[in-house]
Amino acid sequence: MLARTLVARLRPRLAPSLAGLGGRASAGAAAAATDIVVDEDAPPVPAGVGAAAVAATVPTVLQPRVLIYDGVCHLCHRGVKWVFRTDKHAKIRFCCLQSKAAEPYLRLVGMDREDVLRRVLFIEGPEAYYEGSTAALKVASYLPLPYSVLSSLLIIPVPLRDAAYDYIARNRYDWFGKDDKCLVIKDRELLERFIDREEMLGGGPSNSSY
């Protein structure tokens, strides 16, 4: 039997307020959070054990702070490489949109691949996710100084930020190119922070039309 006990333990730490940030509190997150489950018969979590330690022992738990991006886009891949090298404390995880590993995260927030092809997706936790320019700036907020200062651009109204973001996103293939498979396969040193690492090492996503 499956229970949602772990969701209750993780939510207080993974669901910050979205007010004014252009993010979303997913209306379907509570129902979709059934992806985050543990066995009801499992022993209780000892006092003092943090949520991160619990998550590390439960393979069905969706990880927090995951950036889901268009893995075949050269511009997107350059951005991921920059975050990887800048994020000295390895706070951010990555996932190629084209991989099967992305599917439970998309279900969690009620989005499909077409949505993320238009705007990158950053999932902080079960009830907090961000798209487009807000997603990029929220990722920046987890980086060390001076890069985290970029998150101060969140004060710019979302419509203005996303107008610039959408213009670049619509033209990214023409300006920077795309590949047939997820580009991280060519930069395997990055895979240590990819939640779809095993899938990528197995030859990449199959039957991808993106």
Side-chain angles (χ1 to χ4, degrees), residues 73-75 167-178:
C73 166
H74 283 271
L75 175 62
Y167 178 72
I168 295 172
R170 283 194 302 269
N171 294 284
R172 70 187 187 278
Y173 291 157
D174 292 334
W175 294 348
F176 301 96
K178 62 179 292 189

Side-chain angles (χ1 to χ4, degrees), residues 35-82:
D35 286 304
I36 308 178
V37 293
V38 293
D39 195 314
E40 208 172 44
D41 299 322
V45 179
V49 176
V54 176
T57 65
V58 184
T60 54
V61 173
L62 302 187
Q63 299 185 42
R65 299 185 303 279
V66 174
L67 181 67
I68 301 179
Y69 73 101
D70 181 3
V72 302
C73 166
H74 283 271
L75 175 62
C76 305
H77 184 64
R78 290 181 196 177
V80 165
K81 289 174 70 174
W82 180 80

Side-chain angles (χ1 to χ4, degrees), residues 69-140:
Y69 73 101
D70 181 3
V72 302
C73 166
H74 283 271
L75 175 62
C76 305
H77 184 64
R78 290 181 196 177
V80 165
K81 289 174 70 174
W82 180 80
V83 172
F84 180 93
R85 291 165 182 164
T86 305
D87 182 15
K88 302 300 183 182
H89 302 294
K91 294 181 179 180
I92 307 298
R93 294 290 183 265
F94 308 97
C95 182
C96 292
L97 171 64
Q98 289 80 7
S99 72
K100 294 184 182 300
E103 294 175 1
Y105 292 86
L106 297 180
R107 290 197 301 271
L108 180 69
V109 299
M111 297 176 67
D112 58 33
R113 283 188 166 86
E114 290 298 328
D115 295 324
V116 185
L117 280 174
R118 288 189 291 271
R119 291 180 175 177
V120 68
L121 175 65
F122 180 56
I123 301 177
E124 275 192 318
E127 294 179 336
Y129 69 99
Y130 309 89
E131 304 171 69
S133 64
T134 301
L137 295 176
K138 285 295 291 184
V139 167

